[in-house]
Amino acid sequence: MSGPNDNYDPKQVAALSAESLDAMVAAALEAFAVASDPAALKEARLAHAGERAPIALANREIGALPPAARKDAGQRIGAARGRITEALAARQVEVDAAELERALVEETVDVTLPVDLAPQGAIHPITGLIDLMSDVFVAMGWEIAEGPEAEAEWLNFDALNISADHPARGESDTLFVAPADSHVVLRTHTSPVQIRSLLDRPLPVYVVCPGKVYRADEFDATHVPVFHQIEGLVVDKGITMAHLKGTLDHLAKEMFGDIRTRFRPNYFPFTEPSAEYDLECFVCHGASVGNPDAPCKTCRSEGWIEWGGCGVVNPRVLEAAGVDSSVYSGFAFGMGIERTLMFRNNAADMRDMVEGDVRFSRMLKGESR
Ligand code: PHE
């Protein structure tokens, strides 16, 4: 080590010699020049201009020099660092520009390519099934009839021979439209369209009316307060219950293929006689009847499931609509579309039908149409 008053030879501190500083600069410039992307340049920067780069370590040795020599060495090292910093900045500009160029080329978006922006919807299975069932009748020459969902109380009840004290007219079953004296209800069935059709159309009448109906019902797996029915009405000369049975059997066959059906006596104020129309149970085909070892949940081991109501049009209904019941007779029927969808497609939960999830529609697509 030199004493404080010795003449100082810069070469004593090798790292600060002009040659070694030149070598550091040359190495740095070389490394920057070959670094061709941002990652490589970052590596070169850390190696040649970072805190642990040779030039930074050399800088620390200034303190070891005698005071008289520090100025010179400081200037040399400052100049060397300046060259390195400058070269790095220049190279950074080039590498960034190249990187941008690469990204522009590689990540080009062809804005002219066609895209499927809006997800496609699907026909709702209820709509599909309404079309399918209606088509069965249109194919036989029947017409589609319609009526409003907010319906005159008289058409929904009175004209159909449903008396003022009938339980179905209570608030627990029927949704009334305010004010009460408007005598407007949300139709509880599609049967008022029977009356509308008879009032509107010339005889004979062969119509089906699919549509929405409303009841003050629970919302669960088997009940929804808003659902769909399809109503059928024929009024012609000489119409009997046999025509009704033949018509419904044709519909059942179109919907479910070969299937056993039956009439079960029932009561509706607007038909006389009246019946429930049952289908053979799809699940057990009657095997559960009287067989406690193999009970069937679907038909509650009865072997049959109810599809809809029907009957011969009550002459009082014909008269209410101005039809001469001594000349004309008719039949009518009505069934739930949701129930039909449940039977046809094993759709166990009615709530799926109102949630509007397009996946439900897609799942049943093609099956209900
Ligand atoms: N309207 C009846 C119901 O909603 C069904 C029905 C229609 C019954 C036509 C007989 C004739 O339950």
Side-chain angles (χ1 to χ4, degrees):
M1 206 46 168
S2 331
N5 296 318
D6 288 354
N7 267 348
Y8 166 69
D9 175 0
K11 286 184 185 162
Q12 282 180 334
V13 181
L16 292 171
S17 71
E19 290 83 2
S20 69
L21 287 177
D22 281 347
M24 287 175 200
V25 171
L29 266 50
E30 166 71 11
F32 297 158
V34 299
S36 58
D37 60 65
L41 189 57
K42 181 180 178 193
E43 217 170 279
R45 173 169 60 77
L46 292 175
H48 296 278
E51 274 173 35
R52 305 177 61 81
I55 192 94
L57 299 178
N59 195 39
R60 288 189 204 164
E61 297 202 23
I62 290 183
L65 293 177
R70 285 181 194 165
K71 188 178 172 204
D72 256 10
Q75 280 175 352
R76 264 201 313 281
I77 208 160
R81 288 188 118 178
R83 286 169 67 196
I84 291 178
T85 314
E86 214 173 275
L88 176 63
R91 186 59 182 152
Q92 189 75 53
V93 170
E94 287 168 13
V95 167
D96 286 349
E99 174 63 11
L100 179 64
E101 185 64 24
R102 185 201 60 78
L104 286 174
V105 172
E106 280 179 22
E107 297 165 20
T108 302
V109 174
D110 183 351
V111 294
T112 65
L113 280 178
V115 285
D116 205 2
L117 275 184
Q120 286 198 342
I123 300 256
H124 194 279
I126 293 292
T127 309
L129 189 50
I130 285 176
D131 289 351
L132 192 72
M133 293 176 87
S134 301
D135 281 352
V136 172
F137 294 97
V138 170
M140 297 191 293
W142 296 33
E143 292 176 337
I144 308 285
E146 282 180 327
E149 290 165 22
E151 183 57 286
E153 196 177 353
W154 185 80
L155 291 167
N156 194 81
F157 295 124
D158 304 82
L160 289 164
N161 194 38
I162 303 175
S163 57
D165 57 0
H166 193 282
R169 296 181 74 148
E171 278 178 20
S172 59
D173 290 307
T174 301
L175 294 162
F176 291 86
V177 176
D181 63 7
S182 70
H183 295 291
V184 173
V185 298
L186 294 184
R187 68 180 179 194
T188 58
H189 51 179
T190 40
S191 299
V193 185
Q194 289 187 28
I195 308 297
R196 287 181 174 274
S197 302
L198 291 175
L199 292 174
D200 288 354
R201 292 162 193 261
L203 294 167
V205 163
Y206 287 78
V207 291
V208 271
C209 165
K212 231 173 240 172
V213 301
Y214 300 79
R215 287 187 196 171
D217 245 342
E218 293 301 318
F219 180 55
D220 60 31
T222 53
H223 298 88
V224 280
V226 184
F227 58 103
H228 298 77
Q229 288 186 329
I230 187 163
E231 188 89 11
L233 172 72
V234 167
V235 174
D236 203 345
K237 289 176 183 158
I239 295 295
T240 71
M241 195 104 177
H243 297 112
L244 171 62
K245 183 77 162 67
T247 303
L248 288 179
D249 282 353
H250 175 64
L251 178 64
K253 197 166 176 184
E254 292 290 311
M255 290 299 113
F256 305 106
D258 269 323
I259 189 168
R260 289 192 303 149
T261 65
R262 75 171 184 188
F263 276 160
R264 181 164 43 85
N266 194 24
Y267 171 77
F268 294 106
F270 34 97
T271 46
E272 182 59 36
S274 302
E276 295 284 7
Y277 187 63
D278 291 349
L279 303 169
E280 171 191 331
C281 177
F282 301 94
V283 177
C284 73
H285 300 278
S288 67
V289 182
N291 184 0
D293 296 337
C296 178
K297 272 196 233 154
T298 304
C299 65
R300 289 195 214 93
S301 300
E302 285 170 12
W304 299 92
I305 43 182
E306 177 199 324
W307 192 18
C310 60
V312 170
V313 180
N314 191 321
R316 297 175 79 154
V317 172
L318 295 178
E319 297 297 336
V323 175
D324 185 346
S325 63
S326 67
V327 180
Y328 286 93
S329 59
F331 68 74
F333 60 85
M335 61 258 304
I337 307 282
E338 279 78 358
R339 263 177 91 71
T340 311
L341 189 69
M342 285 179 133
F343 300 160
R344 265 176 67 84
N345 296 82
N346 274 327
D349 195 326
M350 273 198 190
R351 288 168 292 196
D352 291 337
M353 302 179 196
V354 290
E355 269 166 4
D357 188 328
V358 76
R359 288 170 299 180
F360 177 73
S361 300
R362 292 218 186 95
M363 200 170 78
L364 301 191
K365 196 176 168 189
E367 292 182 57
S368 57
R369 286 212 81 156

